[in-house]
Amino acid sequence: MSIDAAQLTDAVLAALPHGQFIGGRWRPSDVTFDVVNPATEQVLDRVADGTPEDAVAALDAACAAAEAWAATSPRERSEVLRRTFDLVLERRDLFAACMTLEMGKPLAEAYGEVTYGAEFLRWFSEEAVRIEGRFSIAPSSGQRVLTMLQPVGPVYAITPWNFPLAMATRKLAPAIAAGCTAVIKPAHETPLTTLLFIRALQDAGLPAGVVNCVTSTHSAAVSAPIIADPRLRKLTFTGSTAVGRTLLRQAADHVLRTSMELGGNAPFLVLASADLDKAVQGALDAKMRNIGEACTAANRMYVHESIAAQFSARLAEKMAALPIGNGLDEGVRVGPLVSPRQLATVTDLLQDAVSRGARVATGGTRPEGAGYFLAPTVLTDVPTDARVFREEIFGPVAPIATFATLDEAIALANATEFGLMSYVFAENLGEAAYVVERLESGMVGLNSGVISDPAAPFGGVKESGLGREGSHEGLAEYLETKYVGIRL
Ligand code: NAD
């Protein structure tokens, strides 16, 4: 049965505000860009195409509001976040449908993201009232040591298209909790969910100027004047490592605080002692969440040679059974990729692997008709020099290779410049601990295919980024420590 897609689309479009949100007002724009539904290739809505002048106006508004917002009581900031949490959940149908429409993820997963994304608002509403300093006596000098935590200052947040709600709440909730003001620029593929979220913040009573939003197709041009402005104190970015590097270079000029959530290339290790049922289900979860368009997605599956044939056959069977289609249709588990560009990237990687001798166990095809769909694909006998093992796939393709020893598995897993996420499946906990301690990644899923949680520190090492989001660490990213030495 198909949910009434037309009715749902109309409800989302009717709820959407239009314009740049600057200083508490929606500023209309004559110049717009199209937001396209990747399942139908139809234009969903037209959104204001921001200019560098809009960006500067947004930063002006954030700077004008900064002092007053930093001076609010933690309880006041906490309650705005809590009210926003309630509003997002009240509007969950709109948020979920909006994400499916602009990004393609199946509706059930979009509801999952509403819960996950909203939870950052609740978590940081609770953290806002626990910002503490400390007092101690220096052991040698006897000087008193007082430390206080203060908001870092105006923040610029750049978000990607793959989790349109959660990436915005994961950055803005801690910024608001800490007492920072902000400008956010969502990805041009998925600006609509951010606009709905900004409306919820506004309805929850967030004062004018505390959060401002610029939508634009000119991401470099609108970002440059904000990052070059000495009033900006913090840059937080989620997206590709290539863009992250460029932003870090720009941030160096004013020695900005930065948080960088960049690309991943997660190894998925199945040790000889693994429970195959758990490992296959874990692989399916880790690969197919968000149609494979997640930086935590299992990118390279390395399976012990004694169980590789069984594992590959069972994973291929499960992947082949996943229903593909428009995410609004009931029962669909695999939506389209977000754009023709993303489809072309994933298809190229797939073809490269096949040309080097990989075998297609299932998938590799595109269904007929509109939409940027690709069937869930399992590749076996993949040579380790295939691009699919070195680059982030960001799509529903699972390449599998084998290993013989634990040390070989660890070497394969760490042979990448990325270090965001790793997965290990094993029932022998001694072996599991040996591997987990040697993996070069910020996060490890041990017998778990999905571990992202607002209460846990999310982030990578090596070229996967800097800093952590969520948990207590996520708030610290928006606070500066001031030390006052007191001689009594
Ligand atoms: P991207 O890095 O190009 O874009 C992410 C965000 O940065 C978007 O808002 C975009 O508009 C903005 N941006 C792009 N260039 C910019 C610039 N020069 N200055 C300022 N902002 C800029 O990522 P993408 O095009 O959305 O996807 C490309 C690849 O990035 C994906 O294939 C995937 O590998 C990776 N990616 C990673 C994540 C993650 O969560 N780590 C999320 C999305 C994409």
Side-chain angles (χ1 to χ4, degrees):
M1 188 191 77
S2 173
I3 298 153
D4 192 333
Q7 226 176 353
L8 215 45
T9 310
D10 288 349
V12 170
L13 295 180
L16 277 169
H18 284 93
Q20 311 289 358
F21 187 67
I22 298 175
R25 285 195 314 113
W26 293 94
R27 296 192 188 178
S29 168
D30 294 337
V31 186
T32 59
F33 64 92
D34 294 343
V35 180
V36 173
N37 180 340
T40 62
E41 303 182 35
Q42 305 279 312
V43 174
L44 261 176
D45 203 358
R46 294 188 169 80
V47 168
D49 201 358
T51 61
E53 291 71 33
D54 293 325
V56 172
L59 182 64
D60 286 346
C63 293
E67 197 179 329
W69 185 244
T72 52
S73 71
R75 178 63 67 203
E76 196 176 332
R77 302 198 294 271
S78 166
E79 284 180 354
V80 171
L81 288 172
R82 180 65 203 214
R83 283 197 295 275
T84 314
F85 167 75
D86 290 337
L87 282 175
V88 170
L89 290 190
E90 231 170 70
R91 300 172 188 176
R92 66 174 73 225
D93 294 343
L94 285 179
F95 274 100
C98 187
M99 283 190 273
T100 296
L101 285 167
E102 67 176 344
M103 186 269 165
K105 68 183 74 192
L107 199 54
E109 286 199 51
Y111 274 105
E113 185 175 344
V114 177
T115 307
Y116 172 57
E119 193 55 40
F120 286 103
L121 297 162
R122 178 158 65 174
W123 173 267
F124 286 109
S125 78
E126 291 159 349
E127 288 292 295
V129 294
R130 315 249 183 276
I131 299 171
E132 293 167 349
R134 56 174 204 269
F135 182 82
S136 63
I137 303 173
S140 307
S141 67
Q143 178 158 271
R144 272 43 173 180
V145 177
L146 174 70
T147 63
M148 57 179 83
L149 297 175
Q150 297 180 312
V152 63
V155 173
Y156 182 39
I158 304 176
T159 53
W161 44 261
N162 56 345
F163 291 98
L165 177 64
M167 295 304 102
T169 57
R170 193 158 88 171
K171 294 181 186 310
L172 292 184
I176 291 168
C180 298
T181 59
V183 177
I184 182 168
K185 191 209 74 63
H188 68 83
E189 293 89 345
T190 59
L192 305 181
T193 307
T194 309
L195 296 177
L196 278 185
F197 172 49
I198 298 288
R199 171 48 63 78
L201 285 169
Q202 191 185 15
D203 292 346
L206 188 74
V210 175
V211 170
N212 307 274
C213 177
V214 177
T215 51
S216 180
T217 49
H218 315 287
S219 35
V222 298
S223 299
I226 298 185
I227 300 170
D229 194 309
R231 296 173 299 170
L232 187 76
R233 291 314 319 147
K234 163 97 194 181
L235 172 63
T236 171
F237 169 74
T238 298
S240 59
T241 295
V243 173
R245 266 192 213 102
T246 305
L247 293 172
L248 278 170
R249 283 191 198 102
Q250 295 174 7
D253 281 348
H254 293 298
V255 193
L256 285 180
R257 284 276 297 271
T258 57
S259 300
M260 294 276 146
E261 298 292 351
L262 309 178
N265 182 8
F268 187 99
L269 305 180
V270 187
L271 308 193
S273 69
D275 175 321
L276 263 190
D277 288 338
K278 285 191 217 164
V280 170
Q281 187 56 46
L284 197 71
D285 294 342
K287 180 74 250 178
M288 293 307 295
R289 177 174 178 234
N290 219 38
I291 321 153
E293 293 170 317
C295 46
T296 51
N299 213 61
R300 304 170 285 150
M301 300 197 179
Y302 298 121
V303 185
H304 190 265
E305 57 191 11
S306 63
I307 50 172
Q310 264 177 296
F311 174 87
S312 306
R314 287 175 61 179
L315 182 62
E317 193 185 328
K318 279 198 182 266
M319 294 269 279
L322 296 175
I324 310 174
N326 186 325
L328 290 181
D329 292 344
E330 208 170 289
V332 163
R333 288 285 313 279
V334 186
L337 294 173
V338 73
S339 62
R341 189 175 68 128
Q342 196 62 25
L343 177 62
T345 306
V346 180
T347 312
D348 271 3
L349 289 174
L350 178 58
Q351 280 164 359
D352 171 78
V354 171
S355 73
R356 290 169 197 259
R359 205 173 59 76
V360 180
T362 185
T365 52
R366 286 192 13 75
E368 304 254 307
Y372 315 126
F373 294 96
L374 178 66
T377 303
V378 174
L379 300 174
T380 58
D381 307 315
V382 183
T384 43
D385 63 347
R387 280 177 55 209
V388 81
F389 275 149
R390 282 181 279 121
E391 298 174 32
E392 193 172 22
I393 304 170
F394 245 60
V397 177
I400 303 175
T402 60
F403 66 86
T405 66
L406 288 187
D407 288 328
E408 187 190 349
I410 294 163
L412 284 168
N414 290 339
T416 170
E417 69 273 29
F418 297 105
L420 187 64
M421 180 78 202
S422 307
Y423 299 90
V424 179
F425 277 73
E427 294 302 306
N428 179 333
L429 284 185
E431 287 188 359
Y434 179 83
V435 174
V436 165
E437 287 182 6
R438 285 162 181 75
L439 288 174
E440 297 167 355
S441 65
M443 299 177 284
V444 181
L446 178 54
N447 291 327
S448 175
V450 179
I451 65 162
S452 299
D453 193 295
F458 185 106
V461 300
K462 295 162 79 176
E463 293 181 32
S464 286
L466 299 168
R468 293 294 180 270
E469 292 191 315
S471 188
H472 317 296
E473 288 88 344
L475 184 60
E477 300 277 322
Y478 297 88
L479 292 166
E480 282 290 11
T481 301
K482 182 179 280 173
Y483 152 55
V484 187
I486 307 169
R487 190 154 306 280
L488 294 180

